[in-house]
Amino acid sequence: MAGYTTYIDLIYPLIKDKNIINTTMTKEINRVEEAIDVALSGKSCAIVSSGDPGIYAMAGLAFEICKKKNIKITPSSSGERAVNEKSTITVEVIPGIPALCAGASLLGAPLSHDFAAISLSDLLTPWEIIEKRIEAAASADFVIVLYNPKSKRRTRQLETTQKIILKYRDKTTPVGIVVSAMRKDEMVTVVSLEELHKADVNMQTIVFIGNSKSFKYLDFMVTPRGYERKYSGDIT
């Protein structure tokens, strides 16, 4: 079992009898390489990620490392076994519930129409590219889901994002803020776009910025799909 320390702690009661590889933030390559080495030795090793392993998580890195080291991969669905074959492993990516789905369910239905997910962390992506993506998504009227909106080191990116989007969206556009979705410290609020810079957010927060049709109803955030317009106002 390999994973980021925080995620290992969350599931520790379930895995306490397993051999555990855990590392801190920025040590992702180390722990994935260790997990692959375990697999190459003929043992099974699970790499634990939060949400879905293929969304801002470790599945992609595992494939990258295998490609770089020329390690042959067989999918679990093929029935072909990699055991006892040198430099060959079987990889299975098990789907999970990404934070944007968990957060959306708590807000109501903010993702009922087209949306774009953007991480504001510039550790792996230059900020100039992130800004271009924000601009493109805002101008195309996507609902925008923000991952990693703010950390102790990164404090300006969220406000910069807000200013970019305000060029294309009304200041009253609803913004859903979900902290620690489905965990014990969970918090869910809806604010206006003009108030976003005042919101208390951190690395455990997912931010949902509505499109031009999104609205707040009671304590919920909703983005219409367009059924009422399509069927001439049949909703009565």
Side-chain angles (χ1 to χ4, degrees):
M1 185 73 64
Y4 172 44
T5 302
T6 299
Y7 304 148
I8 291 293
D9 290 344
L10 287 171
I11 62 171
Y12 186 73
L14 300 174
I15 63 171
K16 59 185 178 181
D17 296 327
K18 305 293 184 181
N19 292 324
I20 298 173
I21 301 167
N22 63 333
T23 63
T24 57
M25 190 71 75
T26 75
K27 299 294 184 180
E28 293 85 357
I29 292 177
N30 301 71
R31 66 172 174 267
V32 173
E33 285 185 331
E34 285 190 56
I36 290 173
D37 287 342
V38 171
L40 286 171
S41 74
K43 299 177 182 178
S44 296
C45 186
I47 300 174
V48 179
S49 298
S50 66
D52 184 283
I55 299 178
Y56 295 123
M58 295 293 99
L61 179 57
F63 284 103
E64 287 181 58
I65 291 173
C66 286
K67 180 178 183 294
K68 185 173 182 179
K69 295 187 175 183
N70 199 30
I71 298 170
K72 182 182 176 183
I73 302 172
T74 60
S76 60
S77 59
S78 71
E80 180 183 351
R81 293 181 61 82
V83 179
N84 298 324
E85 293 184 38
K86 188 176 181 180
S87 296
T88 303
I89 59 175
T90 297
V91 174
E92 179 180 10
V93 180
I94 299 175
I97 300 175
L100 62 86
C101 290
S105 71
L106 296 170
L107 284 167
L111 303 181
S112 291
H113 213 322
D114 299 335
F115 64 91
I118 301 172
S119 171
L120 297 191
S121 173
D122 58 359
L123 287 176
L124 302 175
T125 305
W127 178 248
E128 294 75 18
I129 292 177
I130 296 172
E131 278 195 338
K132 289 180 180 179
R133 292 173 178 173
I134 296 166
E135 189 93 33
S139 64
D141 202 29
F142 282 103
V143 174
I144 300 174
V145 183
L146 300 177
Y147 277 71
N148 307 315
K150 185 185 289 188
S151 68
K152 293 179 180 179
R153 185 185 65 83
R154 294 181 298 100
T155 58
R156 63 176 180 84
Q157 281 87 341
L158 183 60
E159 188 168 350
T160 299
T161 299
Q162 176 195 36
K163 290 177 180 177
I164 293 172
I165 298 174
L166 277 170
K167 295 190 298 181
Y168 303 95
R169 310 277 164 95
D170 189 89
K171 63 183 181 180
T172 62
T173 299
V175 176
I177 298 173
V178 181
V179 182
S180 298
M182 305 296 177
R183 299 179 186 174
K184 64 179 181 179
D185 298 323
E186 173 186 290
M187 290 188 294
V188 182
T189 56
V190 180
V191 302
S192 65
L193 181 56
E194 68 174 338
E195 297 293 319
L196 176 56
H197 64 287
K198 299 178 182 179
D200 185 14
V201 303
N202 55 39
M203 288 291 285
Q204 303 302 318
T205 304
I206 302 292
V207 178
F208 299 76
I209 300 174
N211 67 13
S212 61
K213 301 296 183 181
S214 300
F215 62 87
K216 179 183 178 183
Y217 175 62
L218 303 177
D219 292 327
F220 300 97
M221 179 178 171
V222 180
T223 300
R225 180 70 193 278
Y227 293 108
E228 185 174 11
R229 182 176 65 256
K230 172 68 174 178
Y231 299 111
S232 304
D234 284 350
I235 299 177
T236 59

